[in-house]
Amino acid sequence: MAAPYADLILRAARIHTCVAGQEPQCALAVRGDRVAALSPDPGGLDDLVGPDTRVLDLRSDDATVLPAFDDTHTHLVSAGDSAHDVAVDGARSIAEFLDLIRARAAETPPGQWIRTAGHWQELNLAEHRFPTAAELDTATDRHPVLVLRGVHNQVLNGQALKICGIDVTTPDPEGGAIERDADGNPNGHLVDGLALIQPHLPAPDPALKLDGLRLASHDYAATGIGTVRDTNSSLADLAAMQQVREAGELGCRVRVLLSTMGFTSVEQVEEVLDGMEEWKYVDDPWLRVWGVKFWMDGGIESGALDAPYCESHRPTPGYTGQLAWKQDVLEEAVERVVRRGWRVGIHAYGDRGVRALLDLYERVQHRIPGLPYGTLVMEHGGIADDEQRRRAVALGIPVTVQQALLYDAAAVQSEYWGEERVAELFPARQWLDAGADISGGSDYPVGSYGAAHSLYGLTTRQTVSGVLGADHAITRDEAIALHTTAGARLTGESALRGRLTPGRLADLTVWGHDPLTVPEEELAGLRPTYTILGGRQVHGPAPSDGRAGA
């Protein structure tokens, strides 16, 4: 019997399958949500074209096809939650920053919270600093204001400080800090202070929450990202994502890590594990729970280093950053997670943090031998020397790296750590040469998400401060693998995604120029024409009315 007709036939100048040694193909057939066949001949699959087959013939556009990319460490929930917030990344001075908040205040009822999106850097402002509570009060003293910058920084205005009960007597949050003036009064800037703020924020508007997730997931897809590994979700966030999924409105696949941010006890972790239990056997290719996220140290402002921070950014003499948990409590919590059958990802950014994480994982492996590969993952592995890279490989610890974080935050990072140390962040070349299993992500909202943006940074080591650590650069083939085959391996889905072969999900991106050969200066801004997931177009021009030959 003849094979059933395809639902989609795609013809392109080249189709990179990411199968080692395979030459580019020129035609691909999709049936249902799977790749059905490939051919090096553009007309080689024409016998699968039926009356209802959609045909995308893009050879005249010199189109290139690649698997859809993974972002293995990002914050989709943050992107969704900020979709309706004040976008401040275009501000170039504190005055412009305040004007944006003032404009939102003019259309917001008094007493309601105003929040900014977190993707911006204070060094992009002329003053090279955060706004203060007093300055925010000049924009509005009739609304509580929460300014977010990345994941670890928050700034509150006077009314928000009062609502949250943060004053001269308030102790620093666990693993964080309340920045203060010369008299000890909070100036509005908090580092890792969400635990002090969160209980006082209003419950999110369910409709806005869902719409934000829909918008953000499709925006990821518009940059070539087909699967995200969200590394900071709550059970409520997971429930919202499930609603968007059930409505058929997710623009990308999601692999969820439940967050322990602000936790200090094993009991808090157990409560999350109880809530995760119903997800243990969910086999939905669009939405799955991966495991639990912990923090070993902080980020730019409090990552744990061996040597002190730059003198101008030491809150105390000899400051070397902070570990986020009491180590014996963290170790017990990690063991509880893996004994209940889940995986663990732990943020480790500074060299002291990376060493502490490897020590902890080694002890856990000793007490629980035979853990499946990929049960214990290092998130970031920011500064890791030869010894730590060898240890990670010997222990079988996969590592997620985020070149986009370095690209966007290099200037502010250098203020804290010095440019020499910043140039050593995310040494992808040396990780690969050591035989490490590394995969690529963005760490949005600190870094910008986007497939080509990450490829550009990984292959050039270009940042907002110029090229840093050029010896850590990798090839484009290697960079693509970090976001395709390696990404699928990290989530345990190599048989399902990451390559374009018959039987795998039809997750692919179509580009107007080949990301492997486009000139370097064009790569960073490259975006796909189409993103197709499971045979369903989630980004690109609307299909024409015709089917065969369309």
Side-chain angles (χ1 to χ4, degrees):
M1 291 181 62
Y5 294 130
D7 297 307
L8 170 67
I9 295 288
L10 176 58
R11 304 184 189 117
R14 64 199 67 80
I15 299 171
H16 298 299
T17 64
C18 288
V19 175
Q22 186 174 57
E23 291 297 315
Q25 304 291 290
C26 291
L28 179 148
V30 176
R31 190 178 296 119
D33 65 351
R34 306 288 169 139
V35 175
L38 292 111
S39 173
D41 178 359
L45 303 178
D46 286 358
D47 59 341
L48 298 180
V49 177
D52 295 318
T53 301
R54 181 185 178 198
V55 177
L56 274 175
D57 192 334
L58 303 173
R59 288 172 293 170
S60 62
D61 298 332
D62 197 37
T64 297
V65 177
L66 280 162
F69 282 54
D70 281 33
D71 187 330
T72 61
H73 184 112
T74 193
H75 301 280
L76 171 66
V77 169
S78 293
D81 286 348
S82 65
H84 301 286
D85 290 337
V86 183
V88 293
D89 55 315
R92 290 296 173 262
S93 68
I94 287 178
E96 291 181 10
F97 194 102
L98 297 176
D99 282 343
L100 292 167
I101 295 174
R102 189 174 290 113
R104 178 61 63 90
E107 59 187 38
T108 303
Q112 286 191 11
W113 281 80
I114 293 174
R115 190 171 71 171
T116 73
H119 180 59
W120 64 282
Q121 298 293 333
E122 65 272 19
L123 288 189
N124 289 336
L125 302 177
E127 296 82 0
H128 286 198
R129 62 172 175 82
F130 290 95
T132 66
E135 288 169 332
L136 292 173
D137 285 343
T138 67
T140 176
D141 58 3
R142 303 173 68 203
H143 307 80
V145 176
L146 169 58
V147 172
L148 300 172
R149 201 275 277 151
V151 177
H152 299 282
N153 286 268
Q154 305 86 37
V155 186
L156 302 176
N157 72 342
Q159 187 172 149
L161 286 170
K162 184 176 180 179
I163 289 172
C164 295
I166 299 172
D167 58 25
V168 69
T169 66
T170 306
D172 286 345
E174 187 81 24
I178 299 171
E179 302 292 336
R180 304 173 190 272
D181 63 22
D183 297 324
N185 296 302
N187 67 11
H189 180 202
L190 281 66
V191 178
D192 285 322
L194 276 178
L196 300 178
I197 303 168
Q198 205 79 49
H200 306 282
L201 296 176
D205 181 322
L208 283 180
K209 176 85 170 180
L210 300 183
D211 189 57
L213 285 169
R214 178 186 62 81
L215 290 169
S217 64
H218 280 84
D219 199 53
Y220 273 86
T223 72
I225 303 298
T227 299
V228 301
R229 187 166 165 270
D230 187 290
T231 56
N232 192 29
S233 293
S234 67
L235 289 169
D237 294 329
L238 179 58
M241 283 187 272
Q242 186 176 22
Q243 289 186 63
V244 179
R245 160 60 179 141
E246 289 172 350
E249 294 180 337
L250 272 180
C252 59
R253 304 186 191 277
V254 188
R255 305 298 178 252
V256 175
L257 278 73
L258 274 298
S259 173
T260 62
M261 180 171 276
F263 288 13
T264 57
S265 71
V266 174
E267 290 71 28
Q268 290 170 297
V269 176
E270 286 280 9
E271 288 182 18
V272 171
L273 289 170
D274 290 343
M276 295 166 58
E277 196 65 28
E278 63 182 283
W279 285 86
K280 186 167 287 185
Y281 304 106
V282 171
D283 189 26
D284 181 352
W286 282 88
L287 180 61
R288 294 176 177 169
V289 174
W290 183 92
V292 178
K293 164 77 174 296
F294 293 92
W295 279 260
M296 176 58 70
D297 62 351
I300 292 171
E301 299 84 3
S302 56
L305 301 175
D306 285 329
Y309 278 50
C310 295
E311 187 171 351
S312 60
H313 283 78
R314 297 177 192 170
T316 56
Y319 180 72
T320 59
Q322 295 174 278
L323 298 180
W325 282 69
K326 294 179 179 177
Q327 294 301 285
D328 57 338
V329 178
L330 175 58
E331 197 167 321
E332 183 181 352
V334 169
E335 287 195 20
R336 297 279 185 95
V337 173
V338 298
R339 288 187 187 279
R340 289 183 63 165
W342 292 106
R343 291 170 285 196
V344 169
I346 300 184
H347 164 120
Y349 197 48
D351 44 9
R352 181 162 62 94
V354 169
R355 186 179 305 106
L357 177 141
L358 292 172
D359 290 344
L360 184 149
Y361 277 169
E362 188 169 17
R363 293 191 297 269
V364 170
Q365 288 182 342
H366 178 74
R367 279 196 294 277
I368 312 176
L371 288 174
Y373 183 75
T375 298
L376 305 174
V377 173
M378 182 190 300
E379 309 292 340
H380 305 307
I383 296 183
D385 60 19
D386 287 342
E387 178 187 356
Q388 291 170 9
R389 291 192 290 267
R390 286 194 297 269
R391 283 188 70 196
V393 172
L395 291 169
I397 306 299
V399 182
T400 67
V401 299
Q402 300 79 38
Q403 189 66 32
L405 183 164
L406 174 60
Y407 184 99
D408 286 0
V412 65
Q413 180 86 77
S414 296
E415 294 276 324
Y416 286 82
W417 291 14
E419 190 171 285
E420 184 175 341
R421 273 187 288 196
V422 172
E424 296 306 310
L425 282 166
F426 308 123
R429 173 78 276 143
Q430 287 71 20
W431 274 118
L432 289 176
D433 289 347
D437 184 2
I438 65 172
S439 58
S442 65
D443 199 28
Y444 177 89
V446 184
S448 301
Y449 56 80
H453 180 62
S454 183
L455 299 185
Y456 177 72
L458 286 164
T459 55
T460 66
R461 295 289 294 192
Q462 185 66 249
T463 76
V464 294
S465 296
V467 173
L468 295 177
D471 58 320
H472 303 319
I474 59 178
T475 69
R476 291 196 193 181
D477 280 309
E478 290 170 328
I480 288 170
L482 260 58
H483 285 282
T484 54
T485 53
R489 185 167 59 245
L490 179 68
T491 59
E493 299 174 67
S494 292
L496 192 67
R497 303 185 299 101
R499 295 180 175 88
L500 296 176
T501 63
R504 283 187 168 88
L505 287 169
D507 287 11
L508 53 95
T509 50
V510 183
W511 305 78
H513 300 283
D514 189 346
L516 280 165
T517 59
V518 69
E520 188 175 279
E521 61 272 14
E522 298 178 25
L523 179 59
L526 198 63
R527 292 169 77 92
T529 310
Y530 295 89
T531 300
I532 294 171
L533 301 179
R536 175 166 69 89
Q537 182 177 315
V538 294
H539 163 69
S544 65
D545 292 337
R547 305 305 286 177

